[in-house]
Amino acid sequence: MNDLSEVRLRRHLSGWVPEVRYLPETDSTNLQALAWARQGAPHGSVVVADHQSAGRGRLDRRWLAPPGSSLLFSVVLRPELKPELRGLLCLAAGVAGCEFLSSLEIKAGLKWPNDILLGDRKVAGILAEASGEVVVLGAGLNVHQTGFPPEIAESATSLAAHTARSFDRTEVLAGWISHLAPLVDGPPAVIRSEYGRWCSTLGRRVRVDLGEGGVEDEAVDIDGTGALVLAGGRTVSAGDVVQLR
Ligand code: BTN
């Protein structure tokens, strides 16, 4: 059965989503959502794809997923938040994903900023992109994969591989959005406190690759903008984290 279609998406998504666009194939749902936002897409509009030819990851990386394997979507937000607090919206997507997986009795965690992990393997990544007053939250969740390319075979997993259960991508999206909506429309302090419940980076020794070199320290908190606070006082707003112990 095809578990993604415009008809099923319209039927399953809550009233919080005013409009949904399903694209069997596109370059990137984030790019499509940003373009749609420029044409006036309202808050909560969602773009979903079965396949992306130019999926975008954090830190200018690519996000690759075979057709039919993954849940690939982007949500257009028009937040009423001060610009400096909008980084928390990206964290809200990770929190919502973990809450939803927990409702399926799947124990997930977050590696700062926003990798959703099952055990120590990445099952989903989130990329927030801003343009003017709009923030687009894009998420890629591995759902049906039973294997991965050698480069990520040791570090990636999917819902199916981790649980040996089967999943319907439309239902997974609807569940994820139902947890996201109250977080993005609620007080930002709630995102920050809920993030602390799911984030496995806090309290750990980490190595952060900052591009121009690395820093090793204990991760102690996130600040009000979503940046990672290290014990030595340094805050990191973007970078790659390795959790050491
Ligand atoms: C990461 O690097 O971990 C973030 C990956 C985000 C990938 C998703 S897939 C759907 C959406 N569209 C994109 O082009 N990227 C995000």
Side-chain angles (χ1 to χ4, degrees), residues 109-117 195 199-201 241-243:
L110 292 170
K111 181 170 83 105
W112 184 89
N114 233 340
D115 287 355
I116 301 185
L117 305 183
Y195 185 81
C199 181
S200 58
T201 310
V241 162
V242 178
Q243 303 186 156

Side-chain angles (χ1 to χ4, degrees), residues 103-137:
S103 77
L104 302 180
E105 298 187 354
I106 300 170
K107 194 168 174 293
L110 292 170
K111 181 170 83 105
W112 184 89
N114 233 340
D115 287 355
I116 301 185
L117 305 183
L118 301 181
D120 57 3
R121 289 172 182 251
K122 179 166 172 171
V123 73
I126 291 155
L127 175 67
E129 297 189 88
S131 170
E133 295 301 295
V134 167
V135 175
V136 163
L137 289 184

Side-chain angles (χ1 to χ4, degrees), residues 13-225:
L13 287 173
S14 72
W16 185 80
V17 177
E19 292 184 43
V20 59
R21 283 186 180 170
Y22 172 61
L23 306 168
E25 168 141 21
T26 191
D27 46 4
S28 147
T29 57
N30 268 28
L31 284 178
Q32 294 299 317
L34 286 165
W36 190 13
R38 281 193 292 277
Q39 295 160 3
H43 179 71
S45 299
V46 173
V47 181
V48 190
D50 187 58
H51 182 48
Q52 299 181 129
S53 55
R56 289 143 73 102
R58 288 180 61 239
L59 308 171
D60 283 331
R61 296 185 182 127
R62 298 183 67 197
W63 184 263
L64 300 170
S69 67
S70 299
L71 176 60
L72 309 165
F73 70 97
S74 301
V75 186
V76 174
L77 300 178
R78 297 184 180 276
E80 290 172 9
L81 282 179
K82 292 190 204 129
E84 63 271 22
L85 294 178
R86 290 184 189 159
L88 290 169
L89 293 172
C90 180
L91 305 186
V95 170
C98 288
E99 286 179 355
F100 169 63
L101 292 174
S102 169
S103 77
L104 302 180
E105 298 187 354
I106 300 170
K107 194 168 174 293
L110 292 170
K111 181 170 83 105
W112 184 89
N114 233 340
D115 287 355
I116 301 185
L117 305 183
L118 301 181
D120 57 3
R121 289 172 182 251
K122 179 166 172 171
V123 73
I126 291 155
L127 175 67
E129 297 189 88
S131 170
E133 295 301 295
V134 167
V135 175
V136 163
L137 289 184
L141 170 69
N142 302 328
V143 178
H144 298 310
Q145 288 95 328
T146 51
F148 290 89
E151 319 82 80
I152 55 169
E154 299 299 314
S155 60
T157 191
S158 70
L159 294 184
H162 185 78
T163 64
R165 287 154 55 183
S166 56
F167 295 87
D168 177 308
R169 286 177 290 169
T170 301
E171 289 174 8
V172 171
L173 175 62
W176 193 333
I177 298 266
S178 73
H179 286 268
L180 180 66
L183 287 170
V184 299
D185 288 347
V190 173
I191 301 175
R192 190 174 166 198
S193 61
E194 288 301 297
Y195 185 81
R197 288 184 49 210
W198 297 102
C199 181
S200 58
T201 310
L202 301 180
R204 302 266 291 262
R205 208 154 172 87
V206 294
R207 189 170 59 244
V208 190
D209 180 1
L210 299 167
E212 83 287 8
V215 53
E216 213 177 289
D217 201 348
E218 188 191 342
V220 289
D221 201 0
I222 59 154
D223 70 13
T225 68

